[in-house]
Amino acid sequence: MSTRRGGHLSGRHPLIVLLTAVTLLLGVGAVPAHAAPDEGGSKKLRDALESTAKGHIEAKNKLDASKKRQKKLSGELKTMEERLGGLTQQVSEVAAHSYRMGRLTAPAMLLGADTPDAFLDRVASLDVMAQRDGKRIRDMVDARDEANEAKRKLDAEVREQQKQVAVMANKKKQAERALAAVSTGSSGGFSGGSSSSARPAPRNSNGSWPGESCSVNDPTPANGCITPRTLNMLQQTQAAGYKRYASCFRSGGSGEHPKGRACDFSAATNGFEDRTATGGDKSYGDNLAAWQVRNADRLGILYVIWYRQIWHPGTGWRAYSGSGSPAADHTNHVHTSMY
């Protein structure tokens, strides 16, 4: 019995060795490193970061649009004022001439005609003079009204800009309050990385971001859906040279991952390793984070978290601490959330 059992085990041993070798060769043992990181953080914090970043971006878009309208209106007002100045001068000259010479009355002009033909000529001349002078006055009044309307619109744009600046300031305060529990204040952020500029994601005609759903296939191994804007961010990040392992969609939980509006970019070449990045891996994450922040407005990025720091459009870089693990502190991956 023991011989059969030993023979049976002996017969299986080469197969076990072979399967083990194939497993190592194919990298199956590396699969756990590719699992999505447990980033920690409360739902309240993630919701606050999302809402304040969106509020800041929307206010900035409105501010930028208002500045464009103001620039256009300023040009129109300058043209109108120049035209009004010319028309006012013409009307003033007519008035001054009438004051000096006395207004030529119709009876006096007509009585001076000594023939029927001359009478008709003077009737026609009176009509031309009346139309000319009347048109000058009407044009002057219209130009003055248009200039006043342009000034009114300019004043409205100034008030709109003041309103949006106040909104942005309020969103900044809200974001700072939300981050207070996990932040110790401002930080240096990151620099360097690719100098390339991202291809901008499509915007509405007024400069705002269109609403998008989780509607396109996630090309990362996460195997889910993401928004078209998230896909563009992912593709542009990879096109800039950041091609290490990434994962976007994640089912369940709060935040942007389940909505297809976030991606995690591994610092290590082999996936999400449970260790703090150092050396070349740290430099890779630094450069990636810096590049994304420089292109945040083009891509529609809400915020970026990397290496115990978070970039928010309203606050800039701030210190950020999780629960102490590489995933929660984001020291093994860059997290990018999208509008």
Side-chain angles (χ1 to χ4, degrees):
M1 179 72 96
S2 60
T3 303
R4 274 199 307 273
R5 193 160 50 238
H8 180 66
L9 291 173
S10 176
R12 292 184 58 187
H13 182 67
L15 180 60
I16 294 173
V17 172
L18 178 61
L19 288 174
T20 302
V22 171
T23 298
L24 293 174
L25 180 63
L26 294 178
V28 177
V31 171
H34 284 176
D38 180 8
E39 299 174 316
S42 68
K43 181 180 184 301
K44 181 180 179 181
L45 173 61
R46 286 190 289 266
D47 290 347
L49 291 175
E50 178 182 356
S51 64
T52 55
K54 278 187 175 182
H56 176 94
I57 290 171
E58 289 168 0
K60 185 178 183 302
N61 287 340
K62 290 178 181 178
L63 176 63
D64 291 343
S66 179
K67 287 181 177 178
K68 288 181 181 178
R69 291 194 298 268
Q70 183 184 32
K71 184 177 180 180
K72 180 182 178 182
L73 285 168
S74 296
E76 292 176 356
L77 177 59
K78 182 179 179 180
T79 301
M80 291 174 189
E81 287 179 335
E82 290 173 351
R83 180 167 175 261
L84 178 60
L87 291 169
T88 301
Q89 182 178 356
Q90 292 178 18
V91 171
S92 297
E93 289 172 355
V94 171
H97 181 272
S98 299
Y99 177 78
R100 291 194 308 270
M101 307 301 294
R103 183 69 177 174
L104 182 62
T105 64
M109 187 173 179
L110 294 176
L111 288 173
D114 52 3
T115 66
D117 288 342
F119 181 84
L120 292 175
D121 287 343
R122 293 193 176 190
V123 169
S125 296
L126 279 171
D127 184 55
V128 169
M129 290 171 61
Q131 290 184 23
R132 181 196 63 196
D133 294 347
K135 184 175 186 304
R136 285 175 176 173
I137 293 173
R138 287 193 302 273
D139 287 348
M140 184 189 71
V141 172
D142 290 344
R144 184 190 62 198
D145 291 344
E146 290 174 359
N148 287 336
E149 178 64 13
K151 289 178 181 177
R152 185 191 66 78
K153 290 181 178 179
L154 273 175
D155 291 341
E157 291 302 339
V158 170
R159 291 193 297 271
E160 172 67 14
Q161 290 170 32
Q162 292 171 340
K163 174 184 174 182
Q164 298 309 325
V165 168
V167 171
M168 291 166 65
N170 184 48
K171 293 301 177 183
K172 177 181 179 180
K173 290 181 180 178
Q174 292 179 18
E176 288 175 338
R177 284 197 296 267
L179 286 168
V182 294
S183 175
T184 55
S186 60
S187 61
F190 304 95
S191 60
S194 171
S195 60
S196 65
S197 296
R199 181 184 66 214
R203 291 178 182 261
N204 294 320
S205 58
N206 63 0
S208 63
W209 291 113
E212 293 183 346
S213 62
C214 195
S215 58
V216 298
N217 182 60
D218 180 0
T220 72
N223 190 28
C225 63
I226 55 177
T227 68
R229 196 158 42 243
T230 303
L231 177 62
N232 179 66
M233 177 276 295
L234 174 65
Q235 292 173 335
Q236 290 301 296
T237 301
Q238 293 172 336
Y242 305 105
K243 300 179 180 180
R244 293 186 180 181
Y245 186 84
S247 178
C248 297
F249 179 80
R250 188 183 309 157
S251 62
S254 60
E256 290 79 30
H257 281 292
K259 303 171 186 175
R261 297 206 310 255
C263 291
D264 291 327
F265 297 87
S266 170
T269 57
N270 294 324
F272 300 116
E273 297 182 357
D274 189 24
R275 63 177 180 84
T276 294
T278 58
D281 293 346
K282 170 68 162 53
S283 297
Y284 178 86
D286 290 353
N287 293 337
L288 193 162
W291 182 86
Q292 288 193 334
V293 168
R294 286 200 304 272
N295 287 277
D297 188 56
R298 294 185 183 93
L299 297 171
I301 291 176
L302 276 182
Y303 57 88
V304 176
I305 311 176
W306 164 243
Y307 224 85
R308 303 186 189 92
Q309 296 186 51
I310 180 171
W311 177 86
H312 182 286
T315 65
W317 284 104
R318 288 287 187 273
Y320 182 95
S321 59
S323 60
S325 70
D329 284 345
H330 295 79
T331 56
N332 67 348
H333 73 284
V334 176
H335 170 92
T336 310
S337 283
M338 300 295 297
Y339 187 97

